[in-house]
Amino acid sequence: MSSNKKYWKSVEELNGNSSIVETLKNNEFVEAIPTDEFLGDAASLSSSSTTRRDFLKYVGFSTAAATLAACEGPVHKSIPYVVQPEQIIPGIADFYATTMFDGFDFANLLVKTREGRPIKIDNNKIEGAKFAANARVHASVLSLYDSMRLKSPMINQKNTTWIEVDAKIKASLADAKAKGGQVVLLTNTLASPSTEKLVADFLAKNPNSKHVIYDAVSESAALDAFETVYGQRALVDYDFSKANTIVSIGADFLGDWQGGSFDSGYAKGRIPQAGKMSKHFQFEANMTLSGAAADKRVAMSVANQKQALVKIYNVITGSSVSSSLGKEFDAEVTKAAQQLKAAGSKGVLVSGIQDKNAQLLVIAINQVLASEAFSTAGARQIRKGSNEKVAQLIADLNAGTVHTLIMSGVNPVYTLANSDAFVSGLKKTKLSVAFSLKEDETASITTIAAAAPHYLESWNDHSLTAGTYSLTQPTIRPLFNTKQFQDVLLSLNGVGGTFYDYLKANSGAFVGGTSWNKVVHDGIFVGAASAVSGGTADYASAANTLAQAKPVAGFELVLYTKTGLGDGQQANNPWLQEFPDPITRVSWDNYLTVSKADAEALKLENEIVANGGLNGSYATVKVGKTELKVPVIVQPGQAKGTVGLSLGYGRKAALKEEMQVGVNAYVLYNNFDNVQAAQVVKADGEHEFASVQSQKTLMGRGDIVKETTLAIYKEASAKGDIKAFNAPPMVSLDHKEVEATKVDLWESFDRSVGHHFNLSIDLNACTGCGACVIACHAENNVPVVGKDEVRRSRDMHWLRIDRYYSSEDTFAGDNKKKEEFDGLTGDKGSLSGFGEMEDPSDNPQVVFQPVMCQHCNHAPCETVCPVAATSHGRQGQNQMAYNRCVGTRYCANNCPYKVRRFNWFLYNNNDEFNFHMNDDLGRMVINPDVNVRSRGVMEKCSLCIQMTQKTILTAKREGREVKVDEFETACSAACSSGAMIFGDVNNTEDAVTKLAASDRSYHLLEHVGTKPNVVYQVKVRNV
């Protein structure tokens, strides 16, 4: 029966005689689109050859978004596909190779665009492109659509034109030259040959100028040491795949140490092959990703780390420098040193101690070992900052000798500990300029705030490592009235043309005869990198000086960067704010990490309250004369006498109110030293955390995380006794014990026809980095719900990375304790015993386990859905029909893995959730292949069904079979360590087929009989 209801858009429509309504009905466009202004006549139009860049220049989403964001009137320059560019087909994604480098993060990328909109970051997997995207790089596509970005240049906080900016800077430079004033370019590390040439030309043209490089998070000590030994300012690019023994002294190389991106090489040696895997020792204060992955982790203060480094130096080199290492650490350090020495060229030592003498010893030790993992060929160019030169700049500013200061890629007012001195010196300059994406803490007080484009709107080149040359190309026309720092430098240098022209002309010196188009297409050119010559220093003196280091008074405050926010450049990115920290599982905050012993002494507490939220005490941290009131997390594994605090939080300028969280730890980062002497006392109040994981242990449930030792694995594999390390769960059938996998409650069907998808997750290779989590957000339009909702356990992550601690020193100790339970009460009673197992060890072992919908072949969610909203496909994917779902949530109750997410609210276009989905510009990142879910429906991982179907349809259109390992999901494509492998188990050549049949493979909660299509690999520890 048809409906005769009348629907109307405005009250005016109810007036049947309205001439306005009649006009609107008959004219879709009230004002004619002025296509003739820029397309010319029909003859020229029919013969035109429109390129992708011409198209992006004139059309579409970029102009519309900028107009909407600025709340302007109708779009006049937006046109339909009158002449469709060959490269752009509606509904088909295009991918463009580019390189990301923002002075902190870097990666070789493929950018997925739809109809001219970049919507997702993928890793460029072409040969030579070895730097993969971390969580922050994956999230950077959302930062492109940040509505708080600078939309035009400003002079004295008023909008202006680039002509006026150019004239004002040139006038200031002329005035500085006439008066003998100093001109300073203050930038982050550029790692760009063309930009560095432009800067050199600027310095030559202005003899009264100088270039100061400033890294917010300094690696100056390692740079100074490398420069002393090898004569150039660079960092070693370690290859951990070539190391059998790895010793780390305070270096979180699976995190952000020296730029990160070491996880791929590390993981290759951590997956047991032929009974062998690398051995990893970690000595550190804070619990880090590297410490969590280590075979042997020793929690110790930085003062003890320095003595440990001297001890290892003695063992490796045969020196006899006196060391005051405590007896409690002597045995473990000696053991690590001896195994390192025995490994020889297959051993490597790294250190994160910010002390030049310590970094000199690192070089000395690796030279004696002749470490294959330590190579000076292809040194990293991604950090070049100098602490001394930055300190000198601040002194010059306050002395009034700096006439003009031009900044790019830096925010010193926020990131400098002595920012007050910088601000006072800035006021003494005649002109200050800040090229910035946003009107941040620095740009808001400079004379000129120069609106800079996002890297996805820019041309640039990069030499991330010696011998490589990679390009950054724009994937969208600039959304706003922005201009690159390089284009302004060209103008200041009196050079005509654009930076693109300059870049193209300059590239020939780096690409060895390869064509420009090929380098643009590939994104990278790899040339030959010769080892740096030289290589000696006064190591004995460095060892003696380091051995004299004394413990600090009070607590050691160890400053670090979190996996989510890094140095804080993307603090207005809601994906990163809601990203749970891999270790603490807390989002939307930074905090002081304190050991359990110190927390008890200071009466600092954490507790889980009635609604499941985590609350914590506040502490006052005092460094020198600076005090911060910080919430506290009691952190298992934190070294006694030390506390940790992450940088990158506490920003206010150019941030939405919801993102203004945490405290600014940079104010404690005195002299760029990440270790400070601090006083810590309890403060008033209680802080509410948004934590997504309250459980602390496995509570003896060995079929969630299975692990074994390398010795047991090797011996059992040789004997063919898989059950020794991967015992199948047993259930009772007719009063007899049988393997759970041989008992079914459901009838099975033939799954050997067509495709059948599996996802393998290797617990040995997973580092907990979280790149997969952000990639899943981007691909599947997962909403951000905010701190209050996360605290209510309403986070919407389709993929979570569970982190488990052992209650004993090892998980094996947990199992032994569980097996020795006798009765319910008493010393060995299970009631008190399981209670004790909820309490993590002071130095626990750690396991990371990614968990998503397991896509069970016998799915319990399907049997309880009253409307058949969740069903199973022949290809192995558990599907959700969102329009059918009525929100009973029976499926969530019946899911043993707790991976389903219920939409409590409408997160899209809702002022209560003021994140990117409530923002005209932010919604441009939405993937049109995946619908945006509404309130009242259940959602979950789909194994990226839109991606698998696209692969099938592409192969069909091209008249071929799907290639081996061609299937991907967002998480497997983002995983740089190889922990996640996706594919078709009906294709015997796919890697996942071999992994599914591996001796180490098992399923979560296998005894339940759900027969998942997600398979895990037993974790093996080299102990």
Side-chain angles (χ1 to χ4, degrees):
M1 178 178 175
S2 62
S3 170
N4 59 2
K5 274 188 178 181
K6 181 176 180 178
Y7 296 91
W8 45 276
K9 296 180 180 178
S10 66
V11 176
E12 189 67 30
E13 288 188 55
L14 299 180
N15 181 357
N17 299 319
S18 173
S19 60
I20 296 175
V21 172
E22 193 65 22
T23 300
L24 290 173
K25 283 181 179 178
N26 295 327
N27 295 284
E28 182 180 359
F29 300 104
V30 179
E31 297 181 53
I33 298 177
T35 55
D36 56 321
E37 291 181 18
F38 49 92
L39 290 181
D41 61 281
S44 63
L45 184 61
S46 62
S47 62
S48 66
S49 176
T50 306
T51 66
R52 176 179 74 93
R53 299 197 189 287
D54 292 333
F55 172 76
L56 292 175
K57 183 176 180 182
Y58 293 120
V59 76
F61 285 93
S62 58
T63 311
T67 307
L68 288 168
C71 299
E72 294 175 358
V75 180
H76 290 285
K77 299 294 184 185
S78 195
I79 61 171
Y81 281 118
V82 178
V83 176
Q84 179 182 311
E86 290 181 11
Q87 296 91 338
I88 295 180
I89 302 173
I92 302 297
D94 290 306
F95 292 83
Y96 300 98
T98 192
T99 302
M100 187 268 195
F101 179 69
D102 64 4
F104 190 74
D105 292 312
F106 52 93
N108 304 117
L109 308 175
L110 289 179
V111 180
K112 179 183 179 181
T113 66
R114 282 291 302 268
E115 289 78 47
R117 293 178 300 126
I119 62 170
K120 187 173 180 289
I121 299 297
D122 283 324
N123 292 320
N124 187 350
K125 296 182 180 179
I126 196 169
E127 186 178 358
K130 67 176 185 176
F131 294 123
N134 60 22
R136 296 184 296 270
V137 175
H138 278 287
S140 64
V141 67
L142 182 56
S143 294
L144 167 68
Y145 303 117
D146 187 344
S147 60
M148 305 286 288
R149 282 178 57 189
L150 262 174
K151 297 175 177 63
S152 71
M154 304 176 77
I155 297 179
N156 296 322
Q157 284 73 54
K158 294 182 180 177
N159 288 342
T160 187
T161 66
W162 283 107
I163 294 174
E164 291 178 3
V165 168
D166 196 57
K168 194 170 184 67
I169 296 176
K170 286 180 177 177
S172 183
L173 293 177
D175 188 52
K177 187 177 291 186
K179 295 179 179 178
Q182 189 179 108
V183 176
V184 177
L185 297 180
L186 177 64
T187 72
N188 57 0
T189 299
L190 298 171
S192 166
S194 294
T195 308
E196 288 169 354
K197 187 173 184 295
L198 270 177
V199 170
D201 292 344
F202 178 86
L203 299 181
K205 186 177 176 66
N206 299 276
N208 57 325
S209 63
K210 67 177 182 178
H211 180 209
V212 178
I213 301 174
Y214 167 47
D215 297 323
V217 181
S218 176
E219 290 289 351
S220 194
L223 290 164
D224 292 344
F226 193 93
E227 189 172 23
T228 297
V229 177
Y230 298 107
Q232 65 174 252
R233 205 160 181 77
L235 297 170
V236 176
D237 189 29
Y238 294 91
D239 185 352
F240 290 98
S241 68
K242 296 180 179 178
N244 291 340
T245 302
I246 301 166
V247 177
S248 170
I249 310 288
D252 183 16
F253 57 86
L254 296 180
D256 294 330
W257 174 78
Q258 295 191 3
S261 289
F262 296 109
D263 51 345
S264 177
Y266 175 81
K268 289 177 184 176
R270 298 297 292 169
I271 299 174
Q273 302 283 352
K276 296 180 179 180
M277 62 181 286
S278 62
K279 182 70 177 282
H280 174 191
F281 295 89
Q282 185 82 11
F283 302 91
E284 62 182 11
N286 296 344
M287 173 66 84
T288 67
L289 292 179
S290 301
D295 296 303
K296 181 61 179 180
R297 178 184 183 272
V298 179
M300 59 166 61
S301 67
V302 178
N304 280 320
Q305 289 173 34
K306 292 177 179 179
Q307 302 303 324
L309 186 56
V310 173
K311 179 87 173 178
I312 294 172
Y313 171 78
N314 285 340
V315 173
I316 300 298
T317 65
S319 302
S320 55
V321 179
S322 62
S323 168
S324 56
L325 183 65
K327 290 182 179 179
E328 67 272 31
F329 302 119
D330 189 77
E332 292 295 346
V333 172
T334 301
K335 180 181 177 181
Q338 289 171 344
Q339 291 195 25
L340 183 63
K341 186 175 182 177
S345 63
K346 291 295 183 180
V348 67
L349 179 137
V350 294
S351 177
I353 299 173
Q354 294 300 312
D355 183 298
K356 181 181 176 180
N357 293 311
Q359 295 302 324
L360 283 171
L361 294 192
V362 171
I363 295 173
I365 290 168
N366 286 305
Q367 283 181 339
V368 172
L369 292 171
S371 172
E372 295 176 18
F374 177 97
S375 173
T376 58
R380 291 188 171 205
Q381 314 289 329
I382 46 89
R383 300 285 188 273
K384 291 191 178 180
S386 169
N387 296 348
E388 292 180 4
K389 291 182 179 179
V390 173
Q392 184 60 50
L393 170 62
I394 295 172
D396 291 346
L397 284 168
N398 283 282
T401 61
V402 179
H403 181 284
T404 302
L405 177 64
I406 302 175
M407 295 172 280
S408 175
V410 295
N411 185 8
V413 174
Y414 166 66
T415 57
L416 279 174
N418 55 338
S419 62
D420 289 343
F422 180 85
V423 171
S424 65
L426 193 67
K427 293 176 181 176
K428 296 179 181 180
T429 62
K430 297 295 187 292
L431 180 75
S432 56
V433 184
F435 283 83
S436 176
L437 281 169
K438 310 181 76 171
E439 194 177 2
D440 56 27
E441 290 80 359
T442 301
S444 61
I445 63 170
T446 53
T447 313
I448 298 175
H454 192 269
Y455 79 93
L456 291 172
E457 304 167 312
S458 310
W459 280 105
N460 209 344
D461 62 358
H462 295 291
S463 179
L464 301 178
T465 59
T468 64
Y469 182 79
S470 53
L471 286 175
T472 297
Q473 66 167 318
T475 56
I476 189 172
R477 180 180 181 266
L479 296 175
F480 307 115
N481 183 20
T482 56
K483 201 167 188 178
Q484 284 186 239
F485 171 61
Q486 292 89 341
D487 277 311
V488 174
L489 270 183
L490 279 171
S491 177
L492 299 180
N493 290 348
V495 179
T498 65
F499 183 55
Y500 167 78
D501 301 323
Y502 184 89
L503 191 68
K504 187 175 181 180
N506 199 48
S507 66
F510 305 100
V511 298
T514 304
S515 71
W516 167 258
N517 285 346
K518 178 169 174 53
V519 179
V520 172
H521 174 272
D522 294 351
I524 187 169
F525 169 81
V526 180
S530 56
V532 181
S533 59
T536 187
D538 188 355
Y539 299 131
S541 177
N544 280 297
T545 303
L546 192 67
Q548 303 306 313
K550 303 295 182 186
V552 301
F555 283 88
E556 273 187 2
L557 170 64
V558 182
L559 300 169
Y560 67 100
T561 54
K562 279 179 68 174
T563 306
L565 279 198
D567 64 348
Q569 289 187 57
Q570 296 191 73
N572 203 44
N573 192 311
W575 285 349
L576 294 177
Q577 289 282 7
E578 192 147 299
F579 173 76
D581 181 76
I583 299 294
T584 64
R585 308 296 290 136
V586 172
S587 60
W588 293 98
D589 258 315
N590 64 340
Y591 33 76
L592 195 71
T593 55
V594 185
S595 71
K596 182 179 179 181
D598 290 331
E600 289 175 350
L602 295 169
K603 298 183 179 178
L604 301 171
E605 298 177 342
N606 283 156
E607 66 170 339
I608 298 172
V609 293
N611 67 356
L614 179 68
N615 288 5
S617 305
Y618 279 103
T620 299
V621 181
K622 185 176 182 182
V623 175
K625 295 181 180 180
T626 306
E627 290 188 3
L628 281 181
K629 184 179 180 182
V630 191
V632 170
I633 288 287
V634 180
Q635 176 62 57
Q638 184 77 31
K640 294 178 182 178
T642 72
V643 291
L645 181 60
S646 67
L647 305 165
Y649 285 79
R651 293 189 60 184
K652 304 293 182 186
L655 263 67
K656 289 185 177 181
E657 185 178 352
E658 291 82 359
M659 259 67 84
Q660 297 176 20
V661 296
V663 299
N664 181 10
Y666 279 111
V667 300
L668 307 179
Y669 192 34
N670 296 328
N671 301 316
F672 304 100
D673 192 342
N674 67 332
V675 181
Q676 300 287 331
Q679 304 299 317
V680 180
V681 296
K682 185 176 181 178
D684 295 334
E686 189 173 58
H687 186 79
E688 295 184 344
F689 289 106
S691 175
V692 299
Q693 179 166 311
S694 298
Q695 66 265 34
K696 303 293 195 303
T697 70
L698 295 177
M699 289 192 68
R701 293 181 295 176
D703 52 354
I704 295 179
V705 170
K706 288 188 177 183
E707 69 163 43
T708 187
T709 65
L710 182 61
I712 293 173
Y713 173 71
K714 187 176 179 180
E715 182 182 354
S717 297
K719 294 179 179 179
D721 182 16
I722 299 172
K723 294 181 180 180
F725 63 86
N726 190 9
M730 308 297 286
V731 295
S732 176
L733 178 65
D734 296 331
H735 306 288
K736 296 178 182 178
E737 273 201 342
V738 297
E739 293 184 14
T741 54
K742 296 179 179 178
V743 180
D744 275 344
L745 295 179
W746 293 269
E747 289 186 12
S748 295
F749 60 88
D750 182 12
R751 301 186 180 91
S752 63
V753 178
H755 303 292
H756 192 81
F757 300 120
N758 269 203
L759 174 66
S760 171
I761 301 175
D762 196 324
L763 300 184
N764 264 52
C766 180
T767 64
C769 72
C772 55
V773 175
I774 302 299
C776 177
H777 265 272
E779 175 66 28
N780 294 296
N781 302 331
V782 177
V784 173
V785 301
K787 181 176 180 178
D788 288 345
E789 294 302 302
V790 173
R791 184 172 165 80
R792 291 183 172 92
S793 302
R794 293 175 178 173
D795 58 286
M796 296 297 292
H797 297 99
W798 283 13
L799 164 62
R800 68 177 192 260
I801 303 181
D802 288 338
R803 179 269 301 128
Y804 294 108
Y805 294 137
S806 61
S807 62
E808 301 294 313
D809 289 338
T810 65
F811 281 98
D814 283 2
N815 290 334
K816 184 175 184 295
K817 184 171 185 176
K818 181 192 69 171
E819 289 165 3
E820 291 178 352
F821 287 161
D822 185 9
L824 289 176
T825 58
D827 293 338
K828 292 188 177 182
S830 59
L831 289 179
S832 60
F834 276 120
E836 290 173 8
M837 290 181 73
E838 284 288 355
D839 188 12
S841 162
D842 288 340
N843 186 26
Q845 285 187 341
V846 184
V847 176
F848 294 114
Q849 184 175 57
V851 179
M852 68 295 289
C853 174
Q854 301 293 291
H855 296 272
C856 311
N857 289 315
H858 293 168
C861 57
E862 297 173 14
T863 56
V864 294
C865 181
V867 291
T870 178
S871 59
H872 211 72
R874 178 170 286 277
Q875 294 176 345
Q877 289 149 313
N878 184 286
Q879 301 162 346
M880 284 295 302
Y882 296 124
N883 283 354
R884 190 179 291 165
C885 178
V886 294
T888 62
R889 288 170 281 163
Y890 296 158
C891 58
N893 291 336
N894 219 39
C895 175
Y897 308 105
K898 302 307 170 192
V899 289
R900 289 172 169 263
R901 300 289 177 260
F902 181 70
N903 278 319
W904 291 91
F905 299 102
L906 178 67
Y907 302 111
N908 177 41
N909 202 22
N910 185 342
D911 289 341
E912 292 297 316
F913 301 93
N914 191 24
F915 308 111
H916 67 290
M917 284 191 179
N918 186 49
D919 187 298
D920 287 326
L921 195 60
R923 280 195 293 270
M924 285 178 67
V925 83
I926 288 175
N927 182 3
D929 293 332
V930 180
N931 69 337
V932 176
R933 283 75 62 188
S934 187
R935 176 177 180 165
V937 304
M938 189 66 68
E939 62 181 73
K940 64 168 192 68
C941 160
S942 67
L943 278 185
C944 291
I945 191 170
Q946 71 282 359
M947 293 179 68
T948 57
Q949 291 306 110
K950 178 185 178 298
T951 302
I952 293 169
L953 292 172
T954 299
K956 182 179 180 180
R957 187 173 64 249
E958 295 175 358
R960 60 173 176 83
E961 292 184 352
V962 176
K963 299 172 186 174
V964 174
D965 294 329
E966 187 177 359
F967 286 111
E968 288 274 27
T969 57
C971 56
S972 66
C975 184
S976 58
S977 67
M980 291 182 170
I981 302 294
F982 180 78
D984 177 7
V985 289
N986 286 344
N987 184 340
T988 57
E989 299 301 314
D990 264 20
V992 76
T993 308
K994 300 177 181 66
L995 288 166
S998 157
D999 290 348
R1000 290 198 296 134
S1001 67
Y1002 74 98
H1003 296 106
L1004 286 193
L1005 303 179
E1006 204 159 25
H1007 63 275
V1008 178
T1010 57
K1011 298 192 181 304
N1013 282 310
V1014 178
V1015 59
Y1016 292 83
Q1017 306 296 322
V1018 172
K1019 185 172 181 67
V1020 180
R1021 295 187 189 272
N1022 192 354
V1023 293

